[in-house]
Coordinates of all heavy atoms in Angstrom, one line a residue:
L22 N 28.9 93.3 113.7 CA 30.0 94.3 113.9 C 29.8 95.4 112.9 O 29.6 95.2 111.7 CB 31.4 93.6 113.5 CG 32.5 94.6 113.5 CD1 32.9 95.2 114.8 CD2 33.8 93.9 112.8
G24 N 30.9 99.4 111.3 CA 32.0 100.4 111.2 C 31.4 101.7 110.7 O 30.2 101.9 110.5
A25 N 32.3 102.6 110.3 CA 31.9 104.0 110.0 C 30.9 104.1 108.8 O 30.1 105.0 108.7 CB 33.2 104.8 109.6
G26 N 30.9 103.0 107.9 CA 29.9 103.1 106.8 C 28.5 103.1 107.2 O 27.6 103.6 106.5
R37 N 38.2 107.1 105.9 CA 39.0 107.3 104.8 C 38.5 108.3 103.7 O 39.2 108.5 102.7 CB 39.4 105.9 104.2 CG 40.5 105.2 105.0 CD 40.5 103.7 104.9 NE 40.1 103.1 106.2 CZ 41.0 103.0 107.2 NH1 42.2 103.4 107.1 NH2 40.6 102.5 108.3
Q103 N 32.6 99.7 116.0 CA 33.8 100.5 116.0 C 33.6 101.9 116.0 O 34.5 102.8 116.1 CB 34.7 100.1 114.8 CG 35.0 98.7 114.6 CD 35.5 98.4 113.2 OE1 36.7 98.6 112.9 NE2 34.7 98.0 112.3
F185 N 27.2 85.9 111.6 CA 28.0 87.1 112.0 C 27.9 88.1 110.8 O 28.1 87.7 109.6 CB 29.4 86.7 112.1 CG 30.3 87.8 112.5 CD1 30.7 88.1 113.9 CD2 30.9 88.7 111.6 CE1 31.5 89.2 114.2 CE2 31.7 89.8 111.9 CZ 32.0 90.0 113.2
F186 N 27.5 89.3 111.1 CA 27.4 90.4 110.1 C 28.6 91.3 110.3 O 28.8 91.8 111.4 CB 26.1 91.2 110.3 CG 24.9 90.5 109.9 CD1 24.1 89.7 110.8 CD2 24.4 90.7 108.6 CE1 23.0 89.1 110.4 CE2 23.2 90.0 108.2 CZ 22.5 89.3 109.1
S187 N 29.2 91.6 109.2 CA 30.2 92.7 109.1 C 29.6 93.8 108.3 O 29.4 93.6 107.1 CB 31.5 92.2 108.5 OG 32.5 93.2 108.4
I188 N 29.4 95.0 108.8 CA 28.6 96.0 108.1 C 29.3 97.3 108.1 O 29.6 97.9 109.2 CB 27.2 96.2 108.8 CG1 26.5 94.8 109.0 CG2 26.3 97.1 107.9 CD1 25.1 94.9 109.7
G189 N 29.5 97.9 106.9 CA 30.1 99.2 106.8 C 31.5 99.4 107.4 O 31.8 100.4 107.9
T190 N 32.3 98.3 107.3 CA 33.6 98.4 107.8 C 34.6 97.9 106.8 O 34.4 96.9 106.1 CB 33.8 97.7 109.2 OG1 35.2 97.7 109.5 CG2 33.3 96.3 109.1
S191 N 35.7 98.6 106.6 CA 36.7 98.3 105.6 C 37.5 97.1 106.0 O 38.2 96.5 105.2 CB 37.6 99.5 105.3 OG 38.3 99.8 106.5
G192 N 37.4 96.7 107.3 CA 38.1 95.5 107.7 C 39.6 95.7 107.7 O 40.4 94.8 107.6
L193 N 40.1 96.9 107.9 CA 41.5 97.2 107.9 C 42.0 97.5 109.3 O 43.2 97.5 109.5 CB 41.8 98.4 107.0 CG 41.4 98.3 105.6 CD1 41.6 99.6 104.8 CD2 42.2 97.2 104.9
V194 N 41.1 97.7 110.3 CA 41.6 98.1 111.6 C 41.5 96.9 112.5 O 40.4 96.3 112.7 CB 40.7 99.3 112.2 CG1 41.1 99.6 113.6 CG2 40.8 100.5 111.3
Q195 N 42.6 96.5 113.1 CA 42.7 95.3 114.0 C 42.5 95.8 115.4 O 42.9 96.9 115.7 CB 44.0 94.5 113.8 CG 44.1 93.8 112.5 CD 43.2 92.7 112.3 OE1 42.4 92.3 113.2 NE2 43.2 92.1 111.1
A197 N 39.5 94.5 115.5 CA 38.1 94.3 115.1 C 37.9 93.5 113.8 O 37.0 92.6 113.8 CB 37.4 95.7 114.9
A198 N 38.8 93.7 112.9 CA 38.7 93.0 111.6 C 38.8 91.5 111.8 O 38.3 90.7 110.9 CB 39.8 93.5 110.7
S199 N 39.5 91.0 112.8 CA 39.6 89.6 113.0 C 38.4 88.9 113.5 O 38.3 87.6 113.5 CB 40.8 89.3 114.0 OG 40.5 89.8 115.2
A201 N 35.3 88.7 112.4 CA 34.6 87.9 111.4 C 35.2 86.6 111.1 O 34.6 85.6 110.9 CB 34.5 88.8 110.1
Y202 N 36.6 86.6 111.1 CA 37.3 85.3 110.8 C 37.1 84.4 112.0 O 37.0 83.2 111.8 CB 38.8 85.6 110.5 CG 39.0 86.5 109.3 CD1 39.1 87.9 109.4 CD2 39.0 86.0 108.0 CE1 39.2 88.7 108.3 CE2 39.1 86.8 106.9 CZ 39.3 88.2 107.1 OH 39.4 89.0 106.0
V211 N 28.9 83.9 107.6 CA 29.5 85.3 107.7 C 28.8 86.1 106.5 O 28.8 85.7 105.4 CB 31.0 85.3 107.5 CG1 31.5 86.7 107.4 CG2 31.6 84.5 108.7
V212 N 28.2 87.2 106.9 CA 27.5 88.0 106.0 C 28.2 89.4 106.0 O 28.3 90.0 107.0 CB 26.0 88.2 106.4 CG1 25.3 89.0 105.3 CG2 25.4 86.9 106.6
E213 N 28.5 89.9 104.8 CA 29.1 91.2 104.7 C 28.1 92.1 104.0 O 27.6 91.8 102.9 CB 30.4 91.2 103.9 CG 31.0 92.6 103.7 CD 32.4 92.6 103.1 OE1 32.6 92.1 102.0 OE2 33.3 93.1 103.8
I214 N 27.9 93.3 104.6 CA 27.1 94.3 103.9 C 28.0 95.6 103.8 O 28.4 96.1 104.8 CB 25.8 94.7 104.7 CG1 24.9 93.4 104.9 CG2 25.0 95.8 104.0 CD1 23.7 93.6 105.7
N215 N 28.3 96.0 102.6 CA 29.3 97.1 102.5 C 29.1 97.7 101.1 O 28.6 97.1 100.2 CB 30.7 96.6 102.6 CG 31.6 97.6 103.2 OD1 31.5 98.1 104.3 ND2 32.6 98.1 102.4
A216 N 29.5 99.0 101.0 CA 29.3 99.7 99.8 C 30.3 99.1 98.7 O 30.0 99.3 97.5 CB 29.6 101.2 100.0
E217 N 31.3 98.5 99.1 CA 32.3 98.0 98.2 C 32.9 96.7 98.8 O 32.8 96.4 100.0 CB 33.4 99.0 97.9 CG 34.1 99.4 99.2 CD 35.1 100.6 99.0 OE1 35.1 101.2 97.9 OE2 35.8 100.8 100.0
G218 N 33.6 95.9 97.9 CA 34.3 94.7 98.4 C 35.4 95.1 99.4 O 36.0 96.2 99.3
T219 N 35.7 94.1 100.3 CA 36.8 94.4 101.3 C 37.6 93.1 101.3 O 37.3 92.1 100.7 CB 36.2 94.6 102.7 OG1 35.7 93.4 103.2 CG2 35.1 95.6 102.7
P220 N 38.7 93.1 102.1 CA 39.5 91.8 102.2 C 38.7 90.7 102.8 O 39.0 89.5 102.5 CB 40.6 92.2 103.2 CG 40.7 93.7 103.1 CD 39.4 94.2 102.8
L221 N 37.6 91.0 103.5 CA 36.7 89.9 104.0 C 35.9 89.2 102.9 O 35.5 88.1 103.0 CB 35.8 90.5 105.1 CG 34.8 89.5 105.7 CD1 35.5 88.4 106.5 CD2 33.8 90.3 106.7
S222 N 35.5 90.0 101.9 CA 34.5 89.5 100.9 C 34.8 88.1 100.4 O 33.8 87.3 100.4 CB 34.5 90.5 99.7 OG 34.3 91.8 100.2
P223 N 36.0 87.7 100.0 CA 36.2 86.4 99.4 C 35.9 85.3 100.5 O 35.6 84.1 100.1 CB 37.7 86.3 99.0 CG 38.1 87.8 99.0 CD 37.2 88.5 99.9
K224 N 36.0 85.6 101.7 CA 35.8 84.6 102.8 C 34.3 84.6 103.3 O 34.0 83.7 104.1 CB 36.7 85.0 104.0 CG 38.1 85.0 103.7 CD 38.7 83.7 103.8 CE 40.2 83.8 103.6 NZ 40.8 82.5 103.3
A225 N 33.5 85.6 102.9 CA 32.2 85.7 103.5 C 31.2 84.7 102.7 O 31.5 84.4 101.5 CB 31.7 87.1 103.3
D226 N 30.2 84.2 103.4 CA 29.2 83.3 102.8 C 28.3 84.1 101.9 O 27.8 83.7 100.9 CB 28.5 82.6 103.9 CG 29.4 81.7 104.6 OD1 29.9 80.7 104.1 OD2 29.8 82.0 105.8
F227 N 27.9 85.3 102.4 CA 27.1 86.2 101.6 C 27.7 87.6 101.6 O 28.1 88.1 102.6 CB 25.7 86.3 102.2 CG 24.9 85.1 102.2 CD1 25.0 84.2 103.3 CD2 24.1 84.7 101.2 CE1 24.3 83.0 103.4 CE2 23.4 83.5 101.2 CZ 23.5 82.7 102.3
V228 N 27.8 88.2 100.4 CA 28.2 89.6 100.3 C 27.1 90.4 99.7 O 26.7 90.2 98.5 CB 29.5 89.7 99.4 CG1 30.0 91.2 99.4 CG2 30.6 88.9 100.0
L229 N 26.6 91.4 100.4 CA 25.5 92.3 99.9 C 26.1 93.6 99.7 O 26.4 94.4 100.6 CB 24.4 92.3 100.9 CG 23.4 91.1 100.9 CD1 24.1 89.8 101.3 CD2 22.2 91.4 101.9
L230 N 26.3 94.0 98.4 CA 26.9 95.2 98.1 C 25.9 96.3 98.0 O 24.9 96.2 97.2 CB 27.7 95.1 96.8 CG 29.0 94.3 96.8 CD1 29.7 94.3 95.4 CD2 30.0 94.8 97.9
G231 N 26.1 97.4 98.7 CA 25.2 98.5 98.7 C 25.2 99.3 100.0 O 26.1 99.1 100.8

Side-chain angles (χ1 to χ4, degrees):
L22 170 70
R37 278 155 249 280
Q103 300 168 84
F185 182 96
F186 286 90
S187 176
I188 310 177
T190 172
S191 59
L193 300 174
V194 179
Q195 292 293 357
S199 66
Y202 299 93
V211 175
V212 185
E213 175 172 62
I214 301 176
N215 209 66
E217 59 189 6
T219 74
L221 176 66
S222 309
K224 303 272 183 197
D226 298 287
F227 296 92
V228 180
L229 281 61
L230 287 182

